[in-house]
């Protein structure tokens, strides 16, 4: 029975009263003595009151309805700031703004007091955040499960151009958007051993963990857009099971007394900052099992009705595995069903393989997680037994299907024998998953043809595609209010939840008033960005220059080095007198990128970018024409300011390496034109916006394969292309390192002798495409036309459409209104 919580009515007065009540009684300060952070926390708590009854209502309905729900398991959720989204979803923006102005408080100042929860590395984590937003807005019964890291992705600072990581103390000023529920804590075991026994003729196994931790759930609201719903994101935090040990303490062993505590809390202490090469650290596996065990226990015992028959679990839930990070959930469910619920093996397997689906987010072999059986067996002995059994049954099927092909069985085995016996988590996910999907058409095809080809041959119906998407609430309506207003004035506001409606903008390409306003919006977004970067990083942006933006994690396959070679080539041409400065169209190149702390080459490239920027920006010969900016600590909040201001979106990865990309979608939706390869979702963006509105260049994936198979000699391109040679020589000569010829030697020699991602092979095509960009940008009308068509034709890339595809192709669930 829900006691209707009195939602304050939607008036400025009521809001003001609610805010002051929170400030006085919540923060315990009076207005005149309150800090900005006090005011921000009071505002956040006021807004959340308007969401509370919806939240309780949604949970109540979800519990009542027998409908199937989606449980999204992800080790990362890159949420971004919460206040604005909550104001948008409650329709309180104006009321809050007016109420605060009445108290002489500037809402934007409070907005900037919020520290974004950086509980993710990049694409995968942000996608999870977009997906739970869409699930809630589309009224699909759903819950997100993850980890409440005490420290999220590191804060990036630059010291003499070098990346220096600072801990992300996002919780230090309080976190008003989370609700701890200690009463729903879960105990999770680790280590120990198993013993087998027979019970009414059945061989059974019992696991006795050696140690355990407590999983404390923190609930976050996931408000739907104007549909009265609020779904839940449940993030788990690790605690010691035994409180502080007083006896040990009194015996003088103070450190020992708290050792268990710190040991336990370490599990959810910090996010692993890698986003491509797993370090295989034990703590990482502990993190993965910890949140998976908490989530399955919570769903089975708290979300499902008490007496629910678990044989019918597939009717009530699909657990979506966000990459392989949560795949230990498969043996965990088997353990619960067989060891705790008394299911027979086949019975349990029947249920399990209908309850999981796996999304793969990468193509890099080194990004596919493998866990040594030594480590897995020590930490989770029962789970290893179960994985062995799953593999035995699977290999029996393979041998039955391909009787005389033992090598195939060895290749497809979940257990790799070399270089050490290890569990291939992607294979386990593929064997257990009801469905396996890639995140863009090309990616899913490469999964079928290359990465998981033998599995796709065995189970063709299991493989599908769901192209990524982004939430239009955050990345258009909130990030670009001016463009949103222009769109709504033209075609009404329905696009916010039905993004394909943007197509109705097409006729406006010939409307002079609309095109003028469209250009104006872009210019004002540039001025807004200039203000932000000035205040944040002391960087100045020329709003009349072409804003050429490359923001994403630093990785060699994303080819920030190709972008940098373009900059160095332009700089060389002007400073060598080959290109008269007045012929260089004013361009501001903006980089944003964090490198995994252990990824040396990536950190060297960051240093080189900052060094080139320092030299170019200080050189009067290119002043006002060429500028390189690299604001530190690229995150969701900075993306929301950068993307609406961009003219050109850099999506230049080597074809066949970027699974999808989602930044590419955000830029196109905000009226930037893309220069890119036929990689990931670029292919689908180009197909929708039209070749004439996309700057395509470079080798295609099949061409890359041919070049590599034939033996790629990067130095040959250096020898054959003078402008490339001059650019690389300039870097090697110390021009950007005060004459130190060794500073960037590792980068230059890697490009000349390895160049795994064919930067040199695509250099000339890229330069030619950039020439086409300069030319096109010179024709303002034509450029605006292309930009409007990019907005009009990329409604497909809404995460609502992605969720619609998952519902139809994978989950077999639907909205419950
Ligand atoms: C360290 C282990 C590890 C390995 C891979 C951590 C994280 C990953 C992620 C899968 C990397 C990632 O974020 N992949 C990106 O996922 C996006 C969402 O689908 C895609 O758009 C990007 O193309 C892909 O690189």
């Amino acid at each position: 029975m829900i006691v209707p919580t009195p939602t304050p009515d939607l008036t400025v007065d009521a809001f003001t009263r609610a805010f002051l009540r929170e400030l006085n009684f919540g923060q315990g300060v009076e207005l005149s003595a309150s800090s900005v952070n006090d005011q921000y926390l009071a505002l956040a708590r006021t807004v959340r009151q308007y969401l509370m009854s919806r939240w309780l209502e949604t949970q109540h309905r979800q519990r009542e309805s027998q409908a199937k729900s989606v449980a999204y398991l992800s080790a990362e959720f890159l949420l971004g700031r919460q206040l604005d989204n909550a104001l948008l979803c409650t329709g309180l923006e104006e009321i809050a703004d007016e109420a605060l102005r009445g108290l002489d408080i500037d809402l934007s100042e409070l907005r900037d007091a919020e520290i974004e929860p950086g509980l993710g590395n990049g694409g995968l984590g942000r996608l999870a955040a977009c997906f739970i937003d869409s699930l809630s807005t589309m009224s699909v019964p759903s819950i997100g499960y993850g980890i409440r890291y005490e420290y999220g992705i590191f804060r990036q600072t630059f010291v003499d151009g070098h990346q220096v990581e600072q801990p992300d103390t996002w919780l230090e000023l309080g976190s008003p958007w989370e609700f701890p529920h200690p009463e729903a804590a879960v105990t999770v075991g680790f280590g120990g051993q198993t013993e087998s026994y027979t019970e009414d003729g059945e061989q059974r196994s019992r696991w006795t963990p050696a140690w355990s931790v407590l999983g404390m759930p923190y609930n976050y609201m996931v408000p739907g857009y104007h549909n009265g719903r609020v779904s839940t994101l449940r993030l788990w935090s690790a605690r010691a099971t035994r409180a502080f040990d007083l006896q040990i303490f009194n015996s003088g062993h103070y450190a020992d007394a708290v050792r268990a505590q710190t040991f336990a809390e370490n599990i959810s202490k910090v996010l692993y900052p890698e986003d491509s090469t797993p370090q295989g650290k034990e703590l990482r596996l502990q993190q993965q099992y910890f949140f998976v065990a908490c989530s399955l226990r919570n769903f089975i015992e708290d979300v499902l009705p008490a007496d629910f028959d678990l044989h019918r679990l597939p009717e009530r839930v699909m657990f979506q595995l966000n990459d392989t990070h949560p795949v230990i959930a498969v043996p965990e469910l088997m353990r619960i069903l067989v060891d705790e619920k008394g299911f027979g093996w086949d019975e349990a397997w029947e249920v399990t393989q209908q309850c999981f689906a796996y999304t793969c987010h990468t193509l890099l072999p080194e990004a596919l997680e493998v866990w040594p059986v030594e480590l897995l067996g020590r930490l989770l002995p029962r789970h290893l037994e179960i994985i062995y059994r799953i593999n035995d049954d699977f290999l029996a099927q393979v041998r039955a299907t391909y009787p005389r092909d033992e090598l195939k069985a060895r290749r497809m085995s979940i257990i790799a024998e070399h270089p050490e016996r290890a569990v291939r988590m992607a294979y386990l996910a593929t064997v257990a998953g009801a469905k396996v999907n890639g995140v863009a058409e090309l990616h899913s095809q490469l999964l079928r043809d290359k990465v998981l080809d033998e599995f796709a041959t065995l189970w063709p119906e299991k493989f599908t595609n769901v192209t990524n998407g982004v939430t239009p609430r955050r990345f258009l309506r909130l990030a670009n209010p001016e463009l949103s207003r222009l769109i709504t004035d033209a075609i009404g506001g329905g696009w916010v939840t039905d993004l394909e409606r943007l197509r109705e903008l097409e006729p406006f390409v010939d409307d002079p008033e609309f095109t003028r306003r469209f250009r104006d919006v872009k210019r004002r977004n540039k001025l807004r960005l200039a203000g932000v970067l000035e205040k944040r990083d002391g960087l100045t942006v020329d709003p009349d220059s072409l804003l050429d933006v490359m923001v994403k994690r630093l990785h060699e396959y994303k080819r920030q080095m190709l972008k940098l070679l373009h900059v160095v080539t332009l700089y060389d041409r002007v400073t060598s007198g080959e290109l008269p400065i007045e012929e260089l169209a004013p361009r501001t190149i903006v980089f944003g990128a964090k490198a995994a702390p252990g990824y040396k080459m990536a950190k060297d490239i960051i240093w080189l970018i900052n060094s080139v920027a320092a030299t170019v920006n200080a050189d009067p010969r290119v002043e006002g024409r060429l500028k390189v900016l690299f604001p530190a600590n690229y995150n969701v909040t900075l993306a929301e300011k950068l993307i609406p201001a961009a003219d050109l979106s850099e999506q230049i990865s080597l074809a066949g390496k970027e699974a999808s990309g989602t930044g590419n979608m955000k830029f196109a939706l905000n009226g930037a034109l893309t220069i890119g390869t036929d990689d990931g979702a670029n292919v689908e963006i180009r197909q929708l916006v039209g070749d004439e509105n996309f700057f395509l260049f470079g080798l295609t994936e099949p061409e890359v394969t041919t070049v590599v198979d034939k033996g790629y000699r990067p130095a040959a391109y250096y020898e054959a292309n003078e402008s490339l040679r001059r650019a690389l020589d300039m870097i090697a000569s110390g021009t950007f390192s005060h004459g130190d010829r060794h500073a960037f030697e590792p980068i230059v020699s890697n490009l000349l002798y390895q160049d795994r991602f064919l930067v040199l092979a695509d250099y000339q095509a890229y330069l030619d495409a950039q020439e086409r960009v300069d030319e096109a940008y010179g024709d303002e009308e034509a450029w605006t036309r292309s930009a409007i068509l990019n907005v009009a034709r990329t409604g497909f890339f809404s995460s609502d459409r992605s969720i619609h595809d998952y519902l139809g192709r994978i989950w077999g669930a639907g909205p419950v209104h």
Side-chain angles (χ1 to χ4, degrees), residues 762-810:
D762 267 346
Y763 168 82
Q764 193 53 51
Y766 181 58
L767 270 276
D768 300 345
Q770 287 291 359
E771 300 243 335
R772 295 203 306 273
V773 168
D774 279 332
E775 204 187 312
Y777 195 69
D779 179 342
E780 194 177 55
E781 277 305 316
W783 186 277
T784 306
R785 181 186 171 78
S786 286
I788 294 170
L789 291 176
N790 265 269
V791 176
R793 295 172 176 176
T794 48
F796 172 83
F797 299 103
S798 166
S799 48
D800 299 351
R801 186 271 317 149
S802 302
I803 293 299
H804 185 265
D805 291 350
Y806 275 98
L807 289 169
R809 294 172 197 162
I810 298 177

Side-chain angles (χ1 to χ4, degrees), residues 18 30 49 82 99 167 358 410 453 531 541 567 675 710 721 741 755 804:
E30 59 170 332
Q49 282 175 36
Q82 296 299 294
Y358 160 50
R410 189 180 295 265
D453 55 329
V541 174
V567 172
I675 182 165
K710 275 214 319 258
N721 186 316
R741 305 175 68 80
D755 191 15
H804 185 265

Side-chain angles (χ1 to χ4, degrees), residues 359-372:
T359 301
C360 173
H361 295 266
T362 187
L363 282 163
L364 300 179
E366 69 264 31
L368 298 174
E369 292 186 303
V370 291
W371 288 109

Side-chain angles (χ1 to χ4, degrees), residues 97-136:
D97 197 27
E98 201 176 328
L100 293 170
R101 224 166 322 108
L103 300 168
D104 204 16
I105 295 175
D106 171 4
L107 175 54
S108 65
E109 207 186 340
L110 301 197
R111 199 179 267 134
D112 289 342
E114 180 176 1
I115 300 173
E116 74 170 67
L119 306 180
N121 278 284
L124 171 137
R126 182 55 237 179
L127 187 84
C130 285
F131 278 8
I132 56 174
D133 173 85
S134 288
L135 283 162
S136 186

Side-chain angles (χ1 to χ4, degrees), residues 342-603:
F343 277 48
W345 179 269
D346 298 343
E347 218 180 332
W349 184 242
E350 182 54 32
V351 169
T352 297
Q353 60 176 339
Q354 293 175 67
C355 283
F356 290 103
Y358 160 50
T359 301
C360 173
H361 295 266
T362 187
L363 282 163
L364 300 179
E366 69 264 31
L368 298 174
E369 292 186 303
V370 291
W371 288 109
V373 294
E374 178 282 320
L375 167 56
L376 221 156
R378 183 161 39 78
L379 198 65
L380 301 167
R382 180 60 181 136
H383 297 77
L384 184 61
E385 283 176 3
I386 291 170
I387 292 170
Y388 280 154
R389 173 71 189 273
I390 291 172
N391 195 40
D392 294 346
D393 295 357
F394 164 58
L395 291 182
Q397 190 186 346
V398 172
R399 292 192 177 99
T401 316
Y402 309 97
R404 279 167 304 291
D405 193 343
E406 192 45 31
L407 282 180
K408 181 183 277 290
R410 189 180 295 265
R411 281 194 305 273
M412 295 179 78
S413 174
I414 295 170
I415 311 297
E417 301 301 335
H418 304 287
E420 60 178 333
R421 275 173 61 74
V423 178
R424 298 189 266 215
M425 302 311 263
Y427 287 16
L428 174 59
T430 303
V431 169
K435 289 285 182 183
V436 175
N437 76 285
V439 290
E441 292 287 359
L442 174 61
H443 177 227
S444 298
Q445 198 54 47
L446 292 171
L447 285 183
R448 283 191 198 93
D449 300 348
K450 295 191 172 176
V451 185
L452 299 167
D453 55 329
E454 295 186 284
F455 294 90
T457 310
L458 185 61
W459 300 310
E461 76 299 337
K462 189 180 267 201
F463 286 76
T464 183
N465 172 62
V466 177
T467 297
N468 281 166
V470 301
T471 172
R473 271 72 67 187
R474 182 175 291 271
F475 290 108
L476 194 43
R477 177 61 186 76
L478 280 177
N480 201 338
E482 303 240 11
L483 180 57
S484 299
R485 196 166 309 108
L486 177 60
I487 293 170
T488 300
D489 291 354
I491 63 170
W495 58 270
V496 179
T497 52
D498 180 4
L499 205 57
E500 298 264 13
R501 300 268 316 265
L502 292 177
R503 277 235 174 240
E504 297 163 28
L505 289 173
E506 291 220 21
F508 289 88
V509 289
D510 305 319
D511 173 328
E513 175 52 15
F514 184 89
T515 56
R516 186 193 59 71
R517 288 183 60 194
F518 186 91
R519 263 195 303 280
D520 229 26
V521 164
K522 183 60 76 176
R523 182 169 167 65
R524 274 207 294 280
N525 286 336
K526 286 182 180 182
L527 289 168
R528 179 182 68 165
L529 177 68
V532 168
L533 290 186
E534 181 63 50
K535 191 157 140 254
R536 185 184 182 279
D537 308 270
L539 299 172
T540 52
V541 174
D542 167 6
D544 298 319
S545 66
L546 185 158
L547 219 59
D548 174 358
V549 180
M550 183 166 195
V551 288
K552 51 191 73 226
R553 286 294 296 253
L554 207 295
H555 198 290
E556 290 164 276
Y557 85 80
K558 294 175 184 281
R559 302 202 295 188
Q560 279 89 354
M561 271 312 295
L562 187 53
K563 176 78 247 162
L564 201 62
L565 283 176
H566 175 227
V567 172
V568 172
T569 301
L570 290 180
Y571 181 64
D572 171 47
R573 287 196 178 145
V574 172
T575 54
S576 66
E578 182 198 333
L579 178 69
I581 182 68
E582 51 285 344
E583 283 179 31
L584 178 62
R587 193 186 280 228
T588 302
I589 292 115
V590 181
F591 285 94
K594 287 179 179 179
Y599 189 177
K600 179 156 182 348
M601 179 60 82
K603 294 183 88 166

